[in-house]
Amino acid sequence: DGGITQSPKYLFRKEGQNVTLSCEQNLNHDAMYWYRQDPGQGLRLIYYSQIVNDFQKGDIAEGYSVSREKKESFPLTVTSAQKNPTAFYLCASSPPGTSFNEQFFGPGTRLTVL
Amino acid sequence: DAKTTQPTSMDCAEGRAANLPCNHSTISGNEYVYWYRQIHSQGPQYIIHGLKNNETNEMASLIITEDRKSSTLILPHATLRDTAVYYCIVRVAETSGSRLTFGEGTQLTVNP
């Protein structure tokens, strides 16, 4: 089945540790995105990538890093510099050449920093 | 992007139509109206979009006023599984690489 996978669904880490969240898609989409969602709030864009080996900061990039070495993979690292990393993290992708903003979302990873 | 205003929450009886309003009074001529929804603890799901004509698909209908300053998403026969947060987003049409902005949306609760 085509889609976006994020693993794991729940992740626990100690404060001060870096952690990498996985996002993989087999939809052959060029663009991929990372969002953060806090309880009761909307989504905020962290980073996005339009093509391999290229990415741009979103609205809340501080304390995060990404890489895009392969088209199908866009991992997000939450560094120890992120002051409040506990949140629900969502990865999305969108196909090339579309005339509308349809993004396909993964199931999300809920990160808890203890 | 134009700002949107949605009610914080709405209730609907199962089997009845759910009408979710969205105000976007500062929308410009080349901006589309998009609707997404997010079921609890899942990723958002695209529903429908439109420019100025009313649109319908298998999930919902979108009614846009003639002046384009507001719109209504209609779920014709709401089921319990339609309980979710519904986001109205106004955005220019773009190819891949669009930056969507999700506000707080409307929490729709469908009651049995």
Side-chain angles (χ1 to χ4, degrees), chain A residues 9 31 33 35 37 42-43 45 48 50 57-59 88 90 94-96 98-103 105-107 110, chain B residues 32 34 36 38 40-46 49 87 91-105:
Chain A
K9 190 169 178 63
Y33 314 80
Y35 293 89
Q37 187 173 36
L43 282 66
L45 183 65
Y48 65 105
Q50 299 193 46
K57 292 182 179 180
D59 300 317
F88 187 43
L90 287 156
S94 60
T98 55
S99 60
F100 55 91
N101 300 290
E102 181 177 352
Q103 294 185 8
F105 284 82
R110 193 167 297 278
Chain B
Y32 286 68
Y34 301 85
Y36 278 75
Q38 185 177 23
H40 183 62
S41 293
Q42 296 183 24
Q45 176 190 25
Y46 164 83
H49 77 284
Y87 298 99
R91 183 88 178 122
V92 295
E94 289 194 55
T95 57
S96 187
S98 170
R99 298 178 53 155
L100 293 177
T101 301
F102 289 79
E104 296 183 4

Side-chain angles (χ1 to χ4, degrees), chain A:
Chain A
D1 287 313
I4 301 177
T5 57
Q6 292 183 244
S7 60
K9 190 169 178 63
Y10 299 96
L11 190 56
F12 296 88
R13 280 293 182 272
K14 291 184 179 178
E15 191 173 350
Q17 290 182 334
N18 290 357
V19 59
T20 298
L21 280 59
S22 165
C23 178
E24 304 279 332
Q25 54 99 359
N26 60 4
L27 300 168
N28 199 34
H29 288 174
D30 285 331
M32 297 186 73
Y33 314 80
W34 273 106
Y35 293 89
R36 169 187 171 131
Q37 187 173 36
D38 292 287
Q41 298 186 25
L43 282 66
R44 292 184 289 170
L45 183 65
I46 305 172
Y47 267 99
Y48 65 105
S49 167
Q50 299 193 46
I51 56 172
V52 174
N53 293 322
D54 184 57
F55 48 84
Q56 289 81 39
K57 292 182 179 180
D59 300 317
I60 55 164
E62 186 176 351
Y64 299 97
S65 66
V66 293
S67 63
R68 187 84 189 276
E69 297 177 2
K70 298 185 297 182
K71 187 176 186 177
E72 56 271 19
S73 178
F74 190 40
L76 173 74
T77 297
V78 184
T79 75
S80 57
Q82 168 50 233
K83 291 183 173 56
N84 186 18
T86 294
F88 187 43
Y89 290 88
L90 287 156
C91 179
S93 70
S94 60
T98 55
S99 60
F100 55 91
N101 300 290
E102 181 177 352
Q103 294 185 8
F104 295 77
F105 284 82
T109 292
R110 193 167 297 278
L111 172 65
T112 301
V113 176
L114 306 171

